[in-house]
Amino acid sequence: MSQKIVSVEGRMPIQKYRPFEAIDLPDRKWPAARITKAPIWCSVDLRDGNQALIEPMGPARKRRMFEKLVQLGFKEIEVGFPAASQTDFDFCRSLIDEGMIPDDVTIQVLTQSRPELIQKTFDAVRGARRAIVHLYNSTSTVQRRVVFNMDRAGITEIAVAGAKLINELEKTVPETEIVKQYSPESFTQTEIDFAVEICEAVADVWQPTPERKVIFNLPATVEMATPNHYADQIEWFHRNFSRRDSIILSLHPHNDRGTGVAAAEMGVMAGADRIEGTLFGNGERTGNVCVVTLALNLFSQGVEPKLDFSDIQDVIRTVEYCNQLPVHPRHPYGGELVYTAFSGSHQDAIKKGFAALKTANSEVWDVPYLPIDPKDVGRNYEAVIRINSQSGKGGVAYVLLNDHGLDLPRPLQIEFSNVIQNVADSTGKEITPKQIWESFNAEYLDQDGRITLKQYRTVPDAHASEMRNMTAEILEDGAIRTIEGRGNGPVEAFMDALRKQCGIAMELIDYREHAIKSGADSSAVAYIQMRVPGGDTLYGVGIHSNIVTASL
């Protein structure tokens, strides 16, 4: 007896939570903006991504990740929190001392606004050609109340003191160009006017100019609202900061609500210049924003991403080795299953899309269900179609065409897909291309029936030039016999012989043929549809180097 379904309304304690407050920005501009160029990318895999690991990276994995980030095209890479971790300090020093940092790459290091940590941070970057010193302190209302027990002025003084110390220590590393960065941590939980106010106070210390900009980074340390709200916050800051032409406005989105990518894209539309994120979104809690997704989203719109993900599998191998975490099979662009289709209608549309693209001979990608060409990220088409109980004729036909060169007529696609459907239903599992071919071979090509054609000969009819006479040797029920027939071609003559001398009456409904290989090994396939007594129609398939033999 089935159990009654009961409404769940009221079971969860919604009274504990409050909705976010909207930003007063009635003339917001970002909804009409378009992203036409890539932002400045900064990878935080080696810091934010690393501190989120169950087992943080050791030196070997750190180095491999750094080398991969450089190879991908990142020009800014946060290498750690050297004042908080000896491992990070030693790694930073090894990159500098061993000359591992290319001239066009800038390392970034993070530090809280505490004097002893800032001092050690400068010890870590001493001797680098160029380094971003990333200063932060938390500014949110809840942390001011719960953690620091300070008002706005007290929190501002922490930031200003750190900024002043950085100015002083910058003079002690004349061989290193110091780029200054400040983050009001927990920006999304901070009153927007205070976020601007504290950044203005830091800017008063650093005195940025259009020629020597500083970075103000606005992190969604915890994603608290819908992505459009984050965009409103960014646009408000963008419009109200007094030295906008002298700063690089940076985003650091997390993914607590699952909308980190959307928030980052909308933030760029709202005026941001730069994004900090990680490969495949690894980070604390639900992760940081995924730079792979952001970059390939741009790529799919014809925008140069300035990062090279043409070998996505190699990137995945590196990330999984370094993070000791798997990339989800459904992760955008990189996941194992993102270029597959199980639905029959999807499979059919993809198959037709490939065919139309080939016919059009166009460089513009336009295939249903595939936003980019898999080969552009080093994947191939072999895995696009996979067959299970949800599949249809399109997927089965694609496998036979792609793997074996058989372009099945539509009625045959329908007939054979029913065979595969029965196999899928009985096993409940995915059907592999090998199983599809074995089933096709058993259904149409294995010659284990009542009659097997051994050899044949056709000659023109002496009384009608359009007719042909056939003599065929067949194996029927284990015995060799010769049959003869007459028709306007080999197929009809053979059918005439079978009808008159074997009692097999069939009507030809459709006949098609095509080559399946080229060159010395060329062969042909013939598809013949017959109507048998009782009105049923059946397909036969033959493959042979001789098209007449294939048809018979």
Side-chain angles (χ1 to χ4, degrees), residues 205-223:
V205 175
W206 282 344
Q207 291 295 309
T209 67
E211 295 73 34
R212 188 173 170 81
K213 296 182 180 183
V214 299
I215 303 168
F216 282 102
N217 187 57
L218 306 181
T221 308
V222 180
E223 191 177 33

Side-chain angles (χ1 to χ4, degrees), residues 240-538:
N240 287 278
F241 191 79
S242 64
R243 297 176 174 89
R244 182 61 185 91
D245 64 344
S246 298
I247 70 167
I248 294 169
L249 186 53
S250 177
L251 309 177
H252 184 106
H254 277 248
N255 196 44
D256 298 84
R257 291 171 58 95
T259 57
V261 166
E265 291 179 329
M266 290 181 184
V268 170
M269 292 161 64
D273 310 300
R274 179 179 184 266
I275 293 178
E276 296 184 346
T278 60
L279 298 175
F280 297 108
N282 175 56
E284 288 190 288
R285 303 179 309 279
T286 57
N288 288 46
V289 70
C290 173
V291 175
V292 174
T293 304
L294 288 173
L296 290 176
N297 280 354
L298 292 177
F299 176 73
S300 74
Q301 299 298 299
V303 177
E304 170 57 58
K306 296 187 179 180
L307 293 173
D308 181 6
F309 293 114
S310 58
D311 188 351
I312 201 80
Q313 289 302 115
D314 186 60
V315 181
I316 291 171
R317 283 191 294 269
T318 300
V319 169
E320 291 185 335
Y321 164 76
C322 293
N323 290 344
Q324 302 293 291
L325 292 171
V327 172
H328 195 281
R330 299 287 184 194
H331 197 101
Y333 299 109
E336 179 187 355
L337 298 177
V338 298
Y339 302 110
T340 68
F342 290 97
S343 163
S345 61
H346 290 200
Q347 293 166 353
D348 187 54
I350 290 170
K351 173 178 174 285
K352 290 173 179 174
F354 283 145
L357 199 65
K358 188 174 181 180
T359 301
N361 195 27
S362 171
E363 292 185 0
V364 178
W365 180 255
D366 191 19
V367 172
Y369 302 109
L370 295 177
I372 67 170
D373 186 343
K375 73 178 183 182
D376 290 335
V377 290
R379 300 284 283 271
N380 56 52
Y381 302 137
E382 292 177 11
V384 170
I385 304 295
R386 292 172 67 164
I387 311 300
N388 63 10
S389 60
Q390 301 300 304
S391 306
K393 62 185 183 304
V396 174
Y398 179 90
V399 170
L400 291 174
L401 177 61
N402 195 56
D403 292 0
H404 302 282
L406 302 183
D407 190 8
L408 272 57
R410 186 175 177 81
L412 178 54
Q413 293 179 25
I414 297 170
E415 180 180 293
F416 182 57
S417 69
N418 291 331
V419 174
I420 296 300
Q421 184 74 37
N422 291 335
V423 176
D425 287 340
S426 65
T427 63
K429 297 180 180 179
E430 178 184 345
I431 307 301
T432 66
K434 181 175 182 289
Q435 289 174 299
I436 291 172
W437 177 247
E438 289 173 348
S439 296
F440 188 84
N441 199 61
E443 186 75 13
Y444 299 104
L445 302 178
D446 280 351
Q447 298 192 18
D448 57 355
R450 170 187 159 192
I451 293 174
T452 301
L453 176 65
K454 304 300 288 182
Q455 57 183 351
Y456 65 91
R457 182 171 63 91
T458 63
V459 295
D461 188 279
H463 306 289
S465 60
E466 74 279 6
M467 303 295 286
R468 299 191 70 82
N469 295 318
M470 168 178 282
T471 301
E473 184 180 283
I474 62 172
L475 179 67
E476 182 179 17
D477 296 328
I480 294 289
R481 61 176 295 196
T482 299
I483 59 176
E484 296 179 346
R486 182 173 181 265
N488 63 4
V491 172
E492 285 202 357
F494 191 42
M495 290 172 60
D496 180 60
L498 292 172
R499 182 174 59 255
K500 290 178 177 177
Q501 297 177 269
C502 300
I504 299 175
M506 296 181 291
E507 177 188 353
L508 179 64
I509 302 298
D510 187 37
Y511 172 85
R512 302 185 194 185
E513 62 183 49
H514 66 79
I516 56 175
K517 292 181 182 179
S518 59
D521 297 327
S522 62
S523 57
V525 59
Y527 311 101
I528 296 187
Q529 187 182 26
M530 299 288 190
R531 179 176 288 115
V532 297
D536 292 335
T537 62
L538 295 172

